[in-house]
Amino acid sequence: MSLAGRLSNALRVVAPVTLFASLLGTATTAHAIVPYPDVHITSPGPTSSSAGTTAFQFSAAVNPSGSDTIASFQLVVDGIPYGGMLGCPTPGSRSCTGQLLWEAQAPSGTTATHDVQVEMHTTQNATALSTAVAVTVTHATATPVISWPVTGATVPGPDVFVDADSSFAAPRYGDLTLSMTLLVDGGQVDFQTCDGSTTGADCPTELYWDASSAAFGDHTLQVRLVTTSGGVWTSAVTHITLVGTPVPVVTVTSPTAGATVGGNIMVRATGTVDPAAGDYPRVMGLFVDGDLSGAIQNCSPTSSSCTLSFPWDTSALSGKHTIEVGLATVGQVEGFSSPLTVTVSNPPPTVVITSPTAGSSVSRVTTVIATGTIDPAQSDRVRDMQLIVDGVVRATAPCALGAGTLHSCSSAFSWDTLGLVGTHNLQVRFDTVRTTALSSVNSVVVAPLPTKIMIGRVAAVQRGATATIHGALVSTPDHKAIAGAPVQVTFTPVGGRPVTVPATTDGAGLFTAAYATPLRWNTLVSVTAGPEYGSSVGTAVIRVMTPVTCSVPAGAKHGKATTVVCASPLLPNGTTVTLRDLDKGTHVVATGKARSGKVRFTVVFPKKRQYRLTLWATTSSSKLYTATTSKGYRIRVS
């Protein structure tokens, strides 16, 4: 679209179809001296507008005796209708007063006079036009300015960048910046629209001149501003001298090509500019593999050369990498050093298990000690260490951070070998901020813990009862109780199937296991602990006793044979019952075999007036005995 077309569109945007109108009410006084229909502007008279908007008060009427009524009103500016059609507040009115608003339009910095009228239309298509009021409007001045380069400057080519801006002198009345054009020697070379996100009071713009085909020497620069109201303003002339600036020379002096580097190093470079061109180094930057590395550094603004050192952290890199250093001059000319290739080699962190050594034998709680180190030339830092047993992480310890500890870490892990026996693989993982290291595998042997199972005294129980075993697992030779150890308690009745009950030692190393089945015969108890406790075993026998009732006939005589009968329905046939005299220790008084639950003894009592007798029954067919007993009997012999 042409410049004139854009200005026309902008003016249509600023001037609304209808800004504002209000009707003030029905007039009470008719202008009898004016022929009907009648409309005239009551305010203002001829004026110079000091603002963009002017309010026009008017009064109108039709013949009060006729049938015609007022339909609408409209402003007419310089003979052209302006805004929309507005009517009286009450339809069918024959007189009313009102107000219409007009926003004056004129290019910035110009003065213009306009004739404003009010036109009335009636319902019977009659029209009336008020006397014109002349209004003079003056708009503000816009000033575009070139801020760089300044007049008289020596400007290097071929790329020339021009910084421009603009301002308004009040009053502005809504006029906005639209575009900025760069003129070189009077001819247009670049065009930029102004930023619509600003308030329009200015237009900061960077314009470009490709001077590659321009002759060296004197040239003139100007910028031209166009505003939305149609104003066109041109800046003052800026005189410059165009010169051909040679590309600056940049040389990397350290490191050298092909060098091997690692950790934190300094890249040193020197850039020079031909002082005869009137240009100077401005900034330099390090580029690694084509990307800027670190911050751009400033050069001295008065020297033709610039030597700087750039820190380069290679800790996270390896292999071959390319270094370049770039320099930009005050005249916005850029130069780069020749690409330089170096090899980055960073030793990885290490971690070593110092205790226990590979192949050693351990038991109980063992301390695993490891040390991790980082090459101090690197910026990497320690983080934590982890103990790994048979591929599973067992513990984590953070590394201490402080003076002298950023590149080394030592940790001592407590490894409880409880429940383990045989060969196990130890490894320590060392985590740094950037990477991870693993120690070599240390294979150690967990020796069985020498232990002893102690079972408490087992009391005899009556046949048909249940039994509970109490015991402890202790280590030898220190005789310390072992807490939390699993044991297996096996109950094996004579002639029956074994029953295994698991148990775990408590904090005091004690355990309890119950056999819930009623006992009939003697029962062997066997307690075992796992291989980590040296395959410890403890045994005991639960003796089952059958009550026996014995009777001695009345009238037993000294020195004469007397029949004593002992009976129990639970006595198996063939059970040998021995009658002992407790007063004489183990003296056997008589023996007999059970038949149908009874045993008959023929006893010759010596000449003693009183006996205390205890009966024991044993089976003769097994090494594990079923013991039966009765309480002691005191019998009197006459």
Side-chain angles (χ1 to χ4, degrees), residues 355-356 362-369 387-390 392-396 412-422 424-426 444-449 481-486 505 532-533:
S355 178
V362 299
S363 64
R364 300 293 296 264
V365 177
T366 300
T367 301
V368 180
I369 301 174
L387 173 63
I388 302 173
V389 180
D390 298 329
V392 178
V393 176
R394 297 294 185 183
T396 299
F413 300 94
S414 291
W415 175 36
D416 189 355
T417 64
L418 184 66
L420 302 176
V421 69
H424 295 274
N425 297 321
L426 302 182
V444 297
V445 178
V446 178
L449 182 65
I482 300 175
T505 59
E532 62 269 31
Y533 304 108

Side-chain angles (χ1 to χ4, degrees), residues 240-316:
I240 64 166
T241 300
L242 180 67
V243 296
T245 303
V247 175
V249 177
V250 185
T251 303
V252 176
T253 58
S254 177
T256 59
T260 298
V261 299
N264 290 290
I265 68 168
M266 300 299 291
V267 177
R268 190 170 179 83
T270 298
T272 58
V273 177
D274 184 0
D279 201 7
Y280 299 95
R282 183 164 59 94
V283 293
M284 293 176 67
L286 172 64
F287 292 81
V288 177
D289 300 328
D291 296 324
L292 179 65
S293 175
I296 292 177
Q297 299 187 33
N298 294 322
C299 296
S300 171
T302 59
S303 175
S304 61
S305 66
C306 181
T307 300
L308 295 173
S309 295
F310 300 91
W312 180 28
D313 183 5
T314 70
S315 299

Side-chain angles (χ1 to χ4, degrees), residues 23 39-42 56-60 73 96-100 118:
L23 298 177
V39 60
H40 58 276
I41 297 174
T42 59
F56 290 89
Q57 309 287 340
F58 62 88
S59 178
F73 303 92
C96 63
T97 60
Q99 171 182 285
L100 292 172
V118 175

Side-chain angles (χ1 to χ4, degrees), residues 134-224:
V135 179
T136 302
V137 179
T138 301
H139 271 238
T141 299
T143 304
V145 176
I146 294 176
S147 57
W148 176 263
V150 298
T151 191
T154 299
V155 179
D159 298 318
V160 179
F161 295 90
V162 177
D163 294 332
D165 205 345
S166 63
S167 61
F168 281 90
R172 187 161 54 88
Y173 307 144
D175 202 5
L176 305 177
T177 57
L178 186 63
S179 64
M180 191 82 80
T181 303
L182 174 62
L183 306 177
V184 177
D185 300 329
Q188 178 176 328
V189 298
D190 195 16
F191 172 85
Q192 296 287 338
T193 59
C194 297
D195 185 1
S197 65
T198 66
T199 61
D202 52 17
C203 184
T205 309
E206 183 180 68
L207 299 162
Y208 172 69
W209 173 29
D210 181 3
S212 57
S213 60
F216 294 150
D218 295 336
H219 293 272
T220 61
L221 303 179
Q222 286 179 290
V223 289
R224 178 178 295 157

Side-chain angles (χ1 to χ4, degrees), residues 38-116:
D38 167 49
V39 60
H40 58 276
I41 297 174
T42 59
S43 176
T47 182
S48 295
S49 176
S50 60
T53 301
T54 302
F56 290 89
Q57 309 287 340
F58 62 88
S59 178
V62 296
N63 189 344
S65 302
S67 60
D68 203 0
T69 59
I70 297 173
S72 62
F73 303 92
Q74 186 177 27
L75 280 180
V76 177
V77 180
D78 298 329
I80 300 174
Y82 175 90
M85 306 290 290
L86 302 173
C88 289
T90 304
S93 297
R94 289 184 172 83
S95 66
C96 63
T97 60
Q99 171 182 285
L100 292 172
L101 301 181
W102 171 59
E103 182 175 354
Q105 296 295 312
S108 300
T110 63
T111 299
T113 301
H114 301 274
D115 290 332
V116 181

Side-chain angles (χ1 to χ4, degrees), residues 494 619-626:
V494 173
T619 60
S620 57
S621 59
S622 173
K623 293 181 179 180
L624 298 177
Y625 300 99
T626 299

